[in-house]
């Protein structure tokens, strides 16, 4: 029996995954950072129709499409979601693996006939994914390389003698070659798979190495290529069955400590720490109550984790009592043991742990994604000299750039002041319904806009900033625009 390999390519995995959790009518894009600049990494269909392309700068995308809605890229979340899709695809065959960051590969040999053949299986798979909001392209071939090429360049089925006829007209990129190899072949006029196959193998090997030849042989079946299935790993968990139902918070917390005593050694044995814990309480009326604890850092010490459950346990409805408890580490991360030496600073370790515990407590009330920290950004524009990131999934910045002059504690959008439009700092002006009088001023500090970015707030041109002390006690950060004479307040010291 000839092998049947199915390749599944998710054209817009990141954007369509993000759109599952929000409703956006217009163009939508996922934005990531590359070498300090923001770039579009994945687009919705509406954004593509508007002329946007993946890889372009965010500023250029907004210039072309002012109503563009964006979200930050989440590669780790996309990877977890792709693994979840791989587990779901096990309904079609037992051998499902990952294909890069946006695809799956499935060995449907011997299982496609259960659904009426590869055509019927592909139709069912496509229909279910479309209902879930995902756009896919599919390819079936006897080899993994040929299936990959069909899914991305010529969607369909090619079995037996059809493989060469379908592969030959495709570009050499269909062989999964690196970009520099593709460019080198193009300079020699080799743009299609047929052109590469016609070249002497010795010449290709000397000029470009063995990669093009290996990929060609894998696509044609000359070299075997295995599929590594997604391993189904059991999550660390512990269970407790009670002889008599309980309902008091103290009793439930005692059960939590008992469960942690069983769970944490499992985490230590695997060298991991829990980031998300799920406590499920089975009531005597057969209903479940659950408490999810999201941690700001990997943890596996029962005495540190148990108090963090107190708030959630106190809010549950125990009904007529709880007779079963189950604790599961739904998300775990690597947590190697710490080497304590004479050069270790225990105080620093304790402070880092205390900060993470504080973020965990705040995250339980606000959501961990809403506990933010500032990170430095490469820009001389004051309001662009920093960015925000979720504190639980980012490290504190070590090297903030030196600022030649002090910056205000609070920076806000420029607010116009009533007063003279002359270049000199006005001795009397009105701001926020207050009449203020100048006591002293220090400046100017001239800041020019970033000409390579079109920021509407900086279209007025140069700004001359002053630190202004008023008789009323206000210390203001004010600026004057020479091109369009006016004064504004943008910060407070």
């Amino acid at each position: 029996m000839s092998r049947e390999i199915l390749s599944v390519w998710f054209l817009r995995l990141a954007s369509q995954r993000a759109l599952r959790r929000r409703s956006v009518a217009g163009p939508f894009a996922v934005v990531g950072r590359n070498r300090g600049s923001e770039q579009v990494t994945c687009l919705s269909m509406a954004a593509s129709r508007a002329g946007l392309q993946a890889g372009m700068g965010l500023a250029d995308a907004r210039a072309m499409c002012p109503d563009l809605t964006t979200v930050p890229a989440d590669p780790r979340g996309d990877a977890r979601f792709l693994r979840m899709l791989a587990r779901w695809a096990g309904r079609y065959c037992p051998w499902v693996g990952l294909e890069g960051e946006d695809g799956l590969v499935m060995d449907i040999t011997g299982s496609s006939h259960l659904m009426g053949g590869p055509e019927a299986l592909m139709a069912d798979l496509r229909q279910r994914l479309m209902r879930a909001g995902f756009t896919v392209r599919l390819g079936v071939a006897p080899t993994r390389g040929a299936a990959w090429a069909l899914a991305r360049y010529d969607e369909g089925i090619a079995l037996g003698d059809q493989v060469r006829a379908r592969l030959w007209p495709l570009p050499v990129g269909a062989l999964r070659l690196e970009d520099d190899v593709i460019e080198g072949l193009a300079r020699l006029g080799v743009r299609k798979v047929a052109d590469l196959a016609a070249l002497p193998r010795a010449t290709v090997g000397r000029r470009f190495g063995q990669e093009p030849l290996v990929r060609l042989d894998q696509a044609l079946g000359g070299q075997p290529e295995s599929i590594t299935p997604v391993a189904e790993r059991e999550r660390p968990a512990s269970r407790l069955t009670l002889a008599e139902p309980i309902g008091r918070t103290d009793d439930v917390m005692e059960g939590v400590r008992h469960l942690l005593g069983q769970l944490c050694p499992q985490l230590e044995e695997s060298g991991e720490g829990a980031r998300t814990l799920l406590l499920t309480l089975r009531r005597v009326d057969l209903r479940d109550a659950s408490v999810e604890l999201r941690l700001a850092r990997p943890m596996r010490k029962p005495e540190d984790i148990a108090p963090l459950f107190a708030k959630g346990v106190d809010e549950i409805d125990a009904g007529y009592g709880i007779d079963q408890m189950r604790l599961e580490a739904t998300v775990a991360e690597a947590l190697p043991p710490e080497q304590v030496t004479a050069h270790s600073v225990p105080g620093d370790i304790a402070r880092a742990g205390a900060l993470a515990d504080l973020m965990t407590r705040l995250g339980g009330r606000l959501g961990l994604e809403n506990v933010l920290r500032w990170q430095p950004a490469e820009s001389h524009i004051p309001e662009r000299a920093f960015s925000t990131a979720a504190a639980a999934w980012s490290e504190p910045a070590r090297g903030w750039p030196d600022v030649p002059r002090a910056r205000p504690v609070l920076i806000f959008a420029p607010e116009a002041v009533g007063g003279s439009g002359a270049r000199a700092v006005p001795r009397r002006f009105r701001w926020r319904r207050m009449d203020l009088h100048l006591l002293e001023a220090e400046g100017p500090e001239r800041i020019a806009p970033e000409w390579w970015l079109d920021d509407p707030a900086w279209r007025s041109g140069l700004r001359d900033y002053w630190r202004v002390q008023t008789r009323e006690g206000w210390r203001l950060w004010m600026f004057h625009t020479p091109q369009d004479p006016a004064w504004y307040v943008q910060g407070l010291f």
Side-chain angles (χ1 to χ4, degrees):
M1 177 184 293
S2 175
R3 293 185 70 191
E4 295 177 352
I5 306 300
L6 170 61
S7 180
V8 184
W9 179 34
F10 296 86
L11 279 73
R12 309 174 190 278
L13 178 65
S15 62
Q16 291 177 339
R17 184 181 78 88
L19 288 173
R20 286 166 58 86
R21 297 173 294 177
R22 54 181 57 83
S23 177
V24 178
F28 177 82
V30 177
V31 178
R33 297 192 68 84
N34 183 17
R35 297 180 180 179
S37 64
E38 293 184 316
Q39 293 183 353
V40 174
T41 59
C42 191
L43 299 163
S44 68
M45 186 67 72
S48 296
R49 286 196 294 264
L52 305 185
Q53 295 181 355
M56 68 188 310
L58 178 59
D60 296 334
R62 290 199 182 280
M64 294 178 59
C65 187
D67 58 341
L68 179 66
T69 303
T70 63
V71 296
D74 181 16
R76 294 171 60 184
D78 294 338
R80 287 195 301 268
F81 190 77
L82 187 61
R83 293 180 69 88
M84 184 193 72
L85 288 172
R87 291 192 295 270
W88 169 83
R91 62 183 288 122
Y92 296 101
C93 67
W95 213 261
V96 183
L98 303 181
E99 191 74 273
E101 299 177 353
D102 55 2
L104 301 176
V105 57
M106 305 163 57
D107 190 343
I108 60 174
T109 308
S111 60
S112 62
H113 72 281
L114 300 176
M115 301 195 66
E119 298 88 350
L121 189 150
M122 291 171 61
D124 184 80
L125 175 64
R126 187 194 307 277
Q127 185 179 17
R128 292 179 184 273
L129 290 175
M130 286 180 61
R131 283 204 301 263
F134 292 98
T135 304
V136 295
R137 294 183 63 179
L138 310 174
V140 174
T143 65
R144 181 175 180 175
W148 188 95
L150 293 177
R152 286 157 177 79
Y153 292 89
D154 189 14
E155 185 177 21
I157 301 175
L159 298 174
D161 298 336
Q162 303 173 357
V163 175
R164 289 176 179 266
R166 294 289 292 273
L167 288 182
W168 259 221
L170 300 183
V172 291
L175 295 178
R176 298 173 292 172
L177 301 178
E178 298 293 336
D179 291 340
D180 56 343
V181 177
I182 296 175
E183 293 176 0
L185 290 170
R187 286 195 292 268
L188 297 178
V190 180
R191 292 180 171 83
K192 297 181 180 180
V193 177
D195 300 334
L196 177 62
L199 293 177
R201 296 177 66 90
T203 302
V204 176
R206 285 195 302 269
R207 184 70 179 269
F208 301 101
Q210 294 301 309
E211 182 192 5
L213 300 176
V214 171
R215 289 302 191 185
L216 179 61
D217 291 341
Q218 287 175 341
L220 298 177
Q223 285 198 26
E225 188 175 9
S226 62
I227 298 175
T228 303
V230 176
E232 191 65 40
R233 177 179 174 272
E234 289 189 7
R235 297 170 176 170
S238 57
R239 185 188 299 271
L240 176 63
T241 301
L242 304 169
E244 295 290 338
I246 61 174
R248 296 176 60 247
T249 300
D250 292 343
D251 295 337
V252 177
M253 286 300 300
E254 187 63 32
V256 169
R257 284 187 281 270
H258 178 80
L259 292 172
L260 285 169
Q262 298 177 347
L263 177 68
C264 290
Q266 300 178 40
L267 293 170
E268 186 173 4
E269 183 178 355
S270 61
E272 294 178 319
R275 281 299 296 265
T276 304
L277 291 163
L278 179 63
L279 174 66
T280 304
L281 308 174
R282 175 63 61 87
R283 306 191 319 189
V284 295
D285 59 0
L286 302 182
R287 295 184 178 181
D288 288 341
S290 61
V291 179
E292 185 181 52
L293 178 63
R294 301 171 66 191
L295 304 172
R297 64 184 175 103
M299 301 174 66
R300 60 169 177 246
K301 293 183 178 180
E303 62 274 16
D304 294 339
I305 301 175
L308 303 176
F309 271 106
K311 177 180 178 296
V313 169
D314 188 57
E315 295 176 351
I316 65 171
D317 179 11
Y320 295 105
I322 297 167
D323 58 5
Q324 287 186 10
M325 302 175 62
R326 186 175 189 273
L327 183 63
E328 179 183 11
T330 55
V331 178
E333 295 181 1
L335 181 61
E338 295 179 352
Q339 180 73 31
V340 179
T341 66
H343 302 288
S344 301
V345 185
D348 292 344
I349 297 175
R351 282 191 292 272
L355 177 60
D357 293 344
L358 173 61
M359 289 191 294
T360 297
R361 295 178 185 276
L362 293 175
R365 296 177 179 271
L366 308 174
L368 279 177
E369 64 277 2
N370 295 320
V371 181
L372 307 176
R373 64 160 45 102
W374 287 339
Q375 301 281 18
E378 297 181 359
S379 177
H380 64 273
I381 303 297
E383 56 267 36
R384 290 187 188 155
F386 64 91
S387 61
T388 58
W393 296 286
S394 62
E395 295 294 330
R398 299 298 180 187
W400 282 80
D402 295 330
V403 180
R405 301 198 182 188
R407 292 289 182 253
V409 176
L410 179 63
I411 296 179
F412 42 79
E415 299 176 359
V417 301
S420 171
R423 185 179 298 271
V425 180
R427 295 190 171 276
R428 179 179 178 181
F429 56 92
R430 187 171 179 81
W431 174 66
R432 292 187 178 179
R433 300 182 181 180
M434 295 183 294
D435 290 322
L436 303 177
H437 299 80
L438 174 66
L439 179 62
E440 60 180 1
E442 181 182 350
E445 176 190 0
R446 174 159 290 185
I447 298 179
E450 296 173 332
W451 55 267
W452 57 92
L453 298 176
D454 183 18
D455 187 348
W458 280 79
R459 288 176 181 171
S460 56
L462 298 172
R463 295 180 182 180
D464 290 333
Y465 280 87
W466 295 76
R467 287 185 287 175
V468 175
Q469 175 71 53
T470 65
R471 293 180 182 176
E472 289 75 14
W474 292 92
R475 298 186 65 217
L476 307 177
W477 203 44
M478 302 178 62
F479 69 83
H480 175 259
T481 53
Q483 294 85 352
D484 184 14
W487 282 91
Y488 300 85
V489 177
Q490 196 182 356
L492 293 174
F493 288 96

